[in-house]
Structure formats: structure tokens, C-alpha cells
Amino acid sequence: MKKVLVLEDESSIRSFIVINLRRAGYEVIEAESGEEALEKLQQHKDVRVALLDIMLPGIDGFEVCRRIRATNTKIGIIMLTARSQEMDKVTGLMTGADDYVTKPFSPAELTARVDALMRRSGGAAETADEELRQEPFLLNTRNRTLEKNGQRIKLTQMEYSIMRMFMENPGKALSREEILDLVWGRDYFGELKIVDVNIRRLRLKIEDNPTNPTYITTVWGYGYKWGF
């Protein structure tokens, strides 16, 4: 069964999330503190998506996210944020989260977000060429890995998907809406901001100078282009 970790210290919110994810066919592992969440992930290494609340006793959701990402790039991570916490959304994504959901959220929105990440983390069968090579990059679509000048770059599943989309569309200007559809899926509920923050994070990993990018260039007022 597809397994999801839910880290939320408010029992009423956690119960709401758990009930709806179970209805959607997921097996749910619950945690009410950051420390407990990290312990549960050690016990359940087959968890494919983690929902992390930010405001927690002890270590907060950002730190949990950092610690997960230090050892696991495959798991999908969704941050649970309050409507007023605009900076928390960006901070969460920059620490390694793939997505965020703003409270209060509907069951349909939550399960759609989890479904989208579950598809990504599942590593669906690849049908195209096993390698995409555009110097200095080599993307292996079977292993879902990226090398630059022969050195492996650790990517999250979402970063891998963005990188593959760009390498399959060299020189083509892609709008934020197109990127959202291609990477997150047409049924995605989220905001365009998630595209910008994920690309900022990817630039930090692949660019020689992230403040003056040469591979992923910005098309002002429109979107981005893989600059080959």
C-alpha cells in the first residue's frame, strides 16, 4: 500500500488529514513531533510522501525537512502552512520541500497534492531514451540521476522532473503555466510561485553562478528557457 507520513501536533487537524488520506487509499503513519517523525521514517523506509506541519514543539517542520533531505532525495515532501505565513512557503520549498498546502484546505485539494507527488516518487516507467546528454549535463532517465561534468548532482524527484522537462525542450521558452502542467500535472491546485521557487533551488545546484544563470534563463514576464 502507498504509505504517507503525517506530522501535525494538533490532533484534530491530524485526524482530519488521516481520515481523508485513508479514504483515498493511503496507509498513514502519524507523528506529533519532529523527533517522532524522524524516528518513524527510520522505522518505515517505504514512506513515499511526508506532510510536515511547520509550527511544532521541539524541532520545527523546516528542520525536519532539512534532515530528511540530507539523506533522502526520493521522498516527496509537502509543508502545511498557515494562510498568513507567506515567507514560510518559500522557506519550506528552499529547504527541500516539493510543495505546500495552505490551511484550511479541502480534502480534495490535499489528496490531489499527495497523488501528484506519489506519482513522481513512484518513478513511473520511462519510455524515451535512457540518457539525455547536453554538455556538461547527462540525465539518466532509468536511474533518474543527473551528472554535470561527470559529477553526480543530488536532485529531489521534483527537481529531476523539472530538469528532464528542460532537457527535452532545449531552447524553447516555457511559460510558468506550461511548466506547472508538465511537471505537477493538469489537476494540480497550486500557485505559480511554486515554479519560481523550485527553479531557484535547482539553479543553486546546477548553475556555475546562480545569480547569473546560463542554463536556466528567465524569459521576463513569461517563464523560463533551457539556454542551449
Side-chain angles (χ1 to χ4, degrees):
M1 185 180 278
K2 300 172 292 187
K3 199 175 284 190
V4 179
L5 173 84
V6 175
L7 167 57
E8 169 61 67
D9 64 323
E10 290 190 40
S11 59
S12 58
I13 298 175
R14 191 172 68 251
S15 296
F16 169 79
I17 295 170
V18 169
I19 288 167
N20 284 289
L21 287 177
R22 283 179 177 156
R23 281 179 182 158
Y26 290 107
E27 179 181 347
V28 184
I29 309 300
E30 298 181 55
E32 56 183 334
S33 71
E35 293 83 354
E36 184 184 6
L38 293 168
E39 192 176 302
K40 291 281 180 74
L41 283 171
Q42 285 297 314
Q43 296 167 3
H44 301 271
K45 295 192 181 290
D46 55 343
V47 167
R48 285 167 51 189
V49 173
L51 276 68
L52 309 178
D53 188 33
I54 292 173
M55 302 298 290
L56 297 164
I59 62 174
D60 65 12
F62 295 139
E63 181 60 24
V64 174
C65 183
R66 286 190 196 96
R67 293 191 192 184
I68 292 172
R69 277 290 176 247
T71 58
N72 189 336
T73 58
K74 303 298 185 188
I75 191 172
I77 298 177
I78 300 173
M79 305 300 289
L80 304 177
T81 68
R83 189 173 296 281
S84 60
Q85 296 168 322
E86 195 64 26
M87 268 312 298
D88 284 351
K89 299 172 182 178
V90 175
T91 304
L93 292 169
M94 290 305 291
T95 55
D98 298 295
D99 197 0
Y100 57 81
V101 179
T102 303
K103 301 176 186 175
F105 44 80
S106 70
E109 177 184 7
L110 180 70
T111 54
R113 299 292 186 89
V114 174
D115 288 346
L117 266 189
M118 192 65 73
R119 287 195 298 271
R120 291 285 167 216
S121 65
E126 309 286 358
T127 56
D129 293 339
E130 286 187 12
E131 289 187 350
L132 291 171
R133 186 184 293 275
Q134 290 163 19
E135 296 296 340
F137 297 101
L138 173 64
L139 193 77
N140 186 309
T141 61
R142 178 179 289 275
N143 299 329
R144 300 170 75 85
T145 57
L146 177 71
E147 292 180 3
K148 178 183 179 183
N149 294 318
Q151 298 295 311
R152 178 74 60 85
I153 296 174
K154 290 175 68 173
L155 299 180
T156 67
Q157 292 299 306
M158 204 57 74
E159 290 163 351
Y160 164 83
S161 297
I162 295 170
M163 192 70 186
R164 178 169 181 173
M165 173 205 65
F166 277 130
M167 291 182 72
E168 289 178 337
N169 293 277
K172 180 182 178 183
L174 296 164
S175 71
R176 288 173 174 83
E177 290 84 359
E178 283 180 283
I179 294 169
L180 204 63
D181 283 349
L182 289 168
V183 175
W184 280 267
R186 291 187 178 276
D187 56 351
Y188 180 72
F189 280 80
E191 306 167 34
L192 290 176
K193 182 196 297 99
I194 196 169
V195 173
D196 299 320
V197 181
N198 270 277
I199 285 176
R200 189 194 314 173
R201 197 173 71 195
L202 183 57
R203 280 172 167 167
L204 291 171
K205 295 185 177 184
I206 70 165
E207 296 283 355
D208 300 322
N209 179 4
T211 60
N212 185 26
T214 57
Y215 302 116
I216 302 174
T217 54
T218 300
V219 181
W220 294 107
Y222 185 71
Y224 299 92
K225 183 176 74 170
W226 184 239
F228 280 83

